[in-house]
Amino acid sequence: MLKKLAITLVAVVFVGCYNLDNVGGKNSGGSIREIEIAGSQQTGGTTTPTTGETVETKPQQEEKIVSVDVNDENVNDYLTIIKSNLRTSAKKVDDNIRNQYTVPIGETLVFPVDNERAIKLSTSPKNANPKVSLTNGKVSFRTVYQGQYVLSTYVNGSVNRKITVSAISKYDFDEKDLYKLILQDSEKRDKDVENAVTLYKMLYPAGRYSKEVNYLFLKYAYDIKNNSLINEALAGVKNDFSSYSDSEKATILRAAKLANKSIFIPSEVYNTNNSDLKNALNEYNNSSKAPVDRATSTQVDNRTVATEKNKAKTQAREDETSIADYAREKVRSVVGGISGTTSTATTVASAKSKAGASTESYYEKGMKNINSNPRVAIDNFKKSLSSEKIQDKKPEIYYNIASSYAKLGNRAEVTKYIRLLKQEFPSSSWTKKSEALSNLIK
C-alpha cells in the first residue's frame, strides 16, 4: 500500500513540474496553443478574450520568453494572439515610475511620469513605428515590433530623463529557423509564407536575413501572379536592387513588368553580360505594359549607359517608398485582421491616394526625371539638399546626383559627389553602391 502511494506521489510531482516548466519558459519546443492552455490552467485564468473589452494585467514578475518550434502552426497561432491583444486593447499597467520597462509586442504598456509634461520617441528599431501618448500623467506605449525603444520626457521644454522600453516576443522564434521556414514555404508556394514574412518583420525589423526574406516574398508573389502582393514586395527589394544577383534582378524586373510598376534601375545594371538579365531588361523596357519606354543611350567615357524615358504619368512617389514603409504596411494588416494570411492592399491604396494629393517636393521631381532627364533631376536634387529637410535621404540624393552626372559623362562631378557621400555617410548602403559608379567612369 505504501509502495503504491509513493509511486502516485512521484507521478503527481512529475506532472506538476512539467506544467511549471511549460509556463516558466523552460520548454524547448512544442505548440503555442498547448502552452497557452497549460498556462491558463496553471494560473486558473482564461485564454485571451475576443470581445471588445479592455484587458489589464499587472506586472508581477519579469516577462518570461518561451522557446517554441518554428513551424507554420505556431507562427499563425502567435499572430492570432497578437491580433487578439490589439483588438481587445490588452494592457500591462505598471504604477511605478521607472527608467526601464518591458512589454510584450501587441500589448499596451501604461506607466506614470514624474510631473513631466511631454514625451517623445528618441530612438527605435529600424522600420518600427510605435504608438506613444501622454495623457493625464500616464504614458501609453504600444508596438508590434520587437526591440528597444528610448523615450525622452520633457519639463519646461527641456529633456528631463530617458526611459527605455523593451518590446519583446513572448515566444522565441529563432531568426534563422524562421528564415528557413519562409524559404520552405516560398518554394512550395504555400500561402503560410505571408504570415511567416509578417512575423519575421515584427520580430526582426532589421534582421540578418531581411534582404533574402524580401526577395523570397517577391518571388512567391510573382510565382502565384498576385499583383497586390508584388506591389508590397517591390517596395521591400527596390532599395537593395543593386545587391541582388543577376538572376534575382531579372525576377524583380519581370515582377515589376507584371504588376506594371516603375522601379529605379541603376545605370550600371545595363552593362551586364548576363543574358537572362539582358532579356529581362528588354522585356521590362519594351513591353507595352511597362511603365517606362526604352530611351536613347548616353556616352560615358566610351561606355554606353542605357537610360529610360518616363511616360507622362509616372509613379515616382511609389519609387521613393522606403523599406520602412513596406514593413509597416505589411505588419499593419495584423491590426486589421488575420485569417490564415495577410493582405495590405487597402492600406497601400490609401497611402497612394494620400501621396497623389500632396504637392511634389524637389526630391520627388528629381526622382521623376532621374531616368529621362538627368540635368533636370540634378537641379531638383540640389534644390532639395538646400531647401528641404531630407537628412535621412541625403545619402540617396548624393548617389542619385552622382549617377545622373555619370549619364552625362561628367567625371569630375561624379567624383565630387561620391567623395561627399563617402565622407559624410561612410557606412551607408548608398556609399557601397557608389563603388559601381566609380568603376563605371574609370
Side-chain angles (χ1 to χ4, degrees):
M1 181 65 181
L2 288 174
K3 185 176 181 180
K4 289 183 178 179
L5 179 60
I7 293 173
T8 302
L9 287 172
V10 170
V12 170
V13 170
F14 176 78
V15 172
C17 290
Y18 173 78
N19 285 335
L20 285 172
D21 281 349
N22 273 344
V23 176
K26 295 181 181 180
N27 63 306
S28 58
S31 165
I32 284 181
R33 189 178 290 109
E34 292 174 357
I35 294 170
E36 287 288 306
I37 293 173
S40 178
Q41 291 173 341
Q42 182 69 25
T43 59
T46 58
T47 55
T48 305
T50 57
T51 63
E53 63 183 290
T54 298
V55 181
E56 293 191 10
T57 59
K58 292 280 185 178
Q60 298 176 344
Q61 57 184 356
E62 193 67 25
E63 299 289 348
K64 294 185 178 180
I65 301 174
V66 183
S67 295
V68 294
D69 294 331
V70 180
N71 54 47
D72 289 321
E73 178 186 1
N74 281 340
V75 167
N76 296 339
D77 283 348
Y78 191 34
L79 286 177
T80 301
I81 292 170
I82 294 173
K83 175 201 169 185
S84 178
N85 287 336
L86 291 169
R87 186 173 60 247
T88 60
S89 299
K91 294 179 180 179
K92 175 182 176 180
V93 180
D94 193 325
D95 294 327
N96 298 307
I97 296 176
R98 312 173 190 271
N99 289 329
Q100 291 185 329
Y101 297 92
T102 300
V103 64
I105 58 175
E107 293 185 21
T108 300
L109 172 67
V110 179
F111 60 90
V113 291
D114 188 13
N115 295 319
E116 291 136 323
R117 302 299 181 185
I119 192 164
K120 179 182 178 182
L121 178 68
S122 298
T123 60
S124 64
K126 184 179 179 182
N127 304 331
N129 61 333
K131 290 186 177 181
V132 185
S133 63
L134 173 58
T135 307
N136 298 325
K138 297 278 188 178
V139 175
S140 292
F141 174 95
R142 188 181 76 183
T143 184
V144 292
Y145 300 93
Q146 183 170 238
Q148 281 207 332
Y149 299 77
V150 178
L151 309 176
S152 300
T153 61
Y154 292 80
V155 175
N156 297 326
S158 299
V159 175
N160 187 51
R161 64 190 174 106
K162 302 283 187 180
I163 301 172
T164 301
V165 178
S166 297
I168 63 169
S169 167
K170 283 187 174 181
Y171 298 94
D172 181 18
F173 288 84
D174 179 76
E175 182 180 5
K176 188 173 183 179
D177 288 342
L178 191 53
Y179 165 62
K180 288 180 179 178
L181 178 65
I182 293 170
L183 180 62
Q184 171 187 307
D185 285 346
S186 64
E187 288 176 348
K188 296 188 299 184
R189 300 184 184 180
D190 190 326
K191 288 179 72 67
D192 281 329
V193 71
E194 297 177 44
N195 274 356
V197 168
T198 296
L199 186 61
Y200 181 90
K201 292 186 177 297
M202 292 167 67
L203 302 189
Y204 305 101
R208 289 177 295 168
Y209 305 101
S210 291
K211 173 190 160 186
E212 290 82 359
V213 167
N214 288 335
Y215 175 75
L216 288 172
F217 182 52
L218 178 127
K219 189 174 186 304
Y220 160 78
Y222 175 65
D223 286 342
I224 66 173
K225 302 296 184 281
N226 186 316
N227 284 0
S228 177
L229 294 181
I230 289 175
N231 291 339
E232 292 179 24
L234 282 173
V237 302
K238 68 185 185 61
N239 283 2
D240 288 316
F241 185 85
S242 296
S243 65
Y244 287 109
S245 68
D246 286 347
S247 174
E248 291 168 339
K249 288 189 183 84
T251 299
I252 294 170
L253 288 170
R254 290 186 173 112
K257 172 195 166 187
L258 178 65
N260 196 29
K261 294 298 174 183
S262 173
I263 60 173
F264 171 64
I265 304 173
S267 54
E268 60 267 19
V269 174
Y270 288 91
N271 293 326
T272 183
N273 292 320
N274 183 284
S275 59
D276 187 41
L277 180 53
K278 282 183 176 179
N279 290 336
L281 282 166
N282 288 332
E283 293 168 12
Y284 175 79
N285 289 325
N286 295 332
S287 171
S288 59
K289 291 184 179 181
V292 292
D293 294 324
R294 194 179 187 85
T296 56
S297 299
T298 303
Q299 194 72 18
V300 179
D301 188 27
N302 297 325
R303 298 187 182 195
T304 301
V305 180
T307 62
E308 301 170 1
K309 183 179 181 181
N310 286 345
K311 289 184 177 180
K313 293 184 179 179
T314 64
Q315 296 170 326
R317 183 68 180 180
E318 291 175 21
D319 286 344
E320 70 170 271
T321 303
S322 65
I323 294 178
D325 295 329
Y326 160 64
R328 287 195 287 269
E329 292 295 347
K330 186 66 191 155
V331 174
R332 193 172 294 147
S333 60
V334 176
V335 181
I338 301 174
S339 57
T341 59
T342 58
S343 175
T344 61
T346 303
T347 52
V348 171
S350 175
K352 290 177 185 176
S353 176
K354 291 179 182 177
S358 62
T359 304
E360 275 190 329
S361 64
Y362 286 123
Y363 169 81
E364 292 166 341
K365 292 176 182 177
M367 291 301 295
K368 179 180 288 187
N369 289 280
I370 196 167
N371 292 315
S372 60
N373 196 331
R375 293 186 189 280
V376 173
I378 290 170
D379 182 56
N380 280 288
F381 283 135
K382 288 182 177 179
K383 288 178 180 178
S384 178
L385 287 173
S386 62
S387 63
E388 296 174 343
K389 296 180 180 180
I390 39 71
Q391 185 63 26
D392 59 328
K393 293 186 181 297
K394 200 171 182 180
E396 179 188 355
I397 291 176
Y398 278 159
Y399 174 86
N400 288 339
I401 292 176
S403 177
S404 298
Y405 272 125
K407 294 173 184 177
L408 298 174
N410 191 329
R411 294 187 191 179
E413 290 298 311
V414 172
T415 303
K416 171 185 172 181
Y417 280 92
I418 289 178
R419 185 174 63 252
L420 285 172
L421 181 56
K422 290 180 178 179
Q423 288 174 348
E424 295 184 29
F425 306 97
S427 60
S428 170
S429 61
W430 294 101
T431 302
K432 296 178 182 178
K433 292 180 181 181
S434 70
E435 295 175 2
L437 282 178
S438 300
N439 296 329
L440 188 65
I441 62 172
K442 287 180 180 178

